[in-house]
Amino acid sequence: MSEHSSHDSIYRDPRSQVDAFVFDQSVANVFDDMIRRSVPGYATVINMVGVLAGQYVKPGSVCYDLGCSLGAGTLAMRQFIAADGVRIVAVDNSPAMVEKCRGLVAQQNQAVPVDVLQDDINSVPIENASMVVVNFTLQFIEPDQRQRVLQRIYDGLLDGGVLIISEKIAFDSAAEQQMQTELHHSFKRLNGYSDLEIAQKRTALENVLIPDTLETHRQRLSNCGFAHQHVWFQCFNFASMIAFK
Ligand code: GEK
């Protein structure tokens, strides 16, 4: 997909005022480049979502990709689903993301049907699900709504169904928080972002992207009733968990 995406230079020039980050057309246009150069381990998480789909998706069920952006998780699931009679529902509330996502889904030559919905993950119906992917999106939901969103996912999963949740994470230890933040910024610098770009993006995301600790995630998942849950991937301050109903 990367060949369809333009280079992200949104925060390259100095701004007198940095507004809160929004998923508008300018972000959708460069999103694939932005997320790959900003999220350590992103490509691995996406590829492994395909592996997980091959392993866990059940015949006749529905897969959800909540906060799908350009549909990277959807395309990965679709490529590797082995079960029959499966449908994927990809959901995002950004019109620009949904439009581009629909185009990319239409270009992929795979049989599994995909519905791309412009909707809010706080309210979209979730039912008959064997796999739900929430990649780097719960972090944008109001913290006091996160338990409710996870509970709705749990309720819509079939017994034995799985939730994959990938997030930027925070750390209780100040020393670890500092180390992981520095490593994340080094990663971005090596991927061509300047210190100014990193600083302006950080300001834009303040109060918009609010990370939780792994402990908070574990607690929420167990509050929902998930039978067991594991961190299957972590790279610096980004991690992905799998939870089984
Ligand atoms: C990927 N999963 O490439 N309802 C629906 N969508 C929302 C909501 C909401 N309430 N809030 C935010 N979004 C993707 C990456 S990006 C992560 C996900 C990032 C959407 C928002 O429009 C955006 O497209 C996405 O969640 C988050 O694996 O940019 O760091």
Side-chain angles (χ1 to χ4, degrees):
M1 188 163 60
S2 16
E3 66 272 20
H4 303 293
S5 180
S6 315
H7 185 75
D8 168 29
S9 54
I10 291 177
Y11 292 101
R12 191 189 53 196
D13 299 325
R15 297 185 177 199
S16 50
Q17 186 193 319
V18 178
D19 295 330
F21 190 82
V22 283
F23 291 97
D24 58 13
Q25 189 69 54
S26 65
V27 170
N29 288 344
V30 298
F31 187 75
D32 190 56
D33 179 70
M34 173 187 280
I35 196 159
R36 283 173 196 277
R37 290 200 290 136
S38 303
V39 174
Y42 176 76
T44 302
V45 169
I46 293 300
N47 287 336
M48 296 312 134
V49 161
V51 174
L52 295 163
Q55 180 80 8
Y56 294 118
V57 173
K58 304 249 173 59
S61 70
V62 185
C63 298
Y64 290 84
D65 182 6
L66 304 179
C68 61
S69 298
L70 304 185
T74 293
L75 301 179
M77 284 194 277
R78 196 188 196 194
Q79 194 176 349
F80 291 106
I81 287 169
D84 292 328
V86 174
R87 186 166 75 83
I88 302 175
V89 177
V91 180
D92 205 288
N93 66 355
S94 155
M97 291 291 191
V98 166
E99 192 199 336
K100 281 188 78 94
C101 182
R102 285 188 179 136
L104 291 165
V105 165
Q107 276 173 32
Q108 191 192 33
N109 189 21
Q110 296 287 337
V112 176
V114 178
D115 293 324
V116 184
L117 309 181
Q118 189 192 318
D119 208 337
D120 193 319
I121 73 171
N122 287 291
S123 51
V124 70
I126 299 165
E127 46 207 11
N128 191 31
S130 63
M131 183 163 164
V132 178
V133 172
V134 192
N135 267 350
F136 312 107
T137 297
L138 197 70
Q139 59 199 22
F140 292 105
I141 301 296
E142 288 294 331
D144 65 357
Q145 294 302 310
R146 293 178 186 179
Q147 183 72 58
R148 214 184 122 259
V149 168
L150 293 175
Q151 190 65 55
R152 293 182 63 253
I153 292 170
Y154 178 87
D155 293 345
L157 277 167
L158 299 163
D159 286 344
V162 296
L163 165 63
I164 311 297
I165 171 169
S166 312
E167 290 271 287
K168 184 176 189 180
I169 53 171
F171 301 88
D172 284 326
S173 146
E176 184 170 17
Q177 182 66 61
Q178 187 183 339
M179 178 197 77
Q180 300 283 21
T181 303
E182 283 169 3
L183 288 169
H184 180 213
H185 290 172
S186 294
F187 171 87
K188 293 185 75 162
R189 238 175 264 122
L190 287 172
N191 280 326
Y193 285 117
S194 67
D195 288 337
L196 177 69
E197 281 177 296
I198 294 170
Q200 292 193 139
K201 176 84 176 285
R202 196 180 191 185
T203 303
L205 284 173
E206 222 170 283
N207 306 319
V208 175
L209 189 174
I210 301 170
D212 292 312
T213 62
L214 281 175
E215 190 44 42
T216 297
H217 286 294
R218 284 199 188 93
Q219 190 57 56
R220 280 206 202 98
L221 293 168
S222 89
N223 291 346
C224 289
F226 282 99
H228 55 112
Q229 39 171 294
H230 316 280
V231 174
W232 66 269
F233 179 81
Q234 185 178 340
C235 184
F236 304 146
N237 48 347
F238 290 81
S240 188
M241 287 152 276
I242 182 165
F244 292 80
K245 179 163 175 176

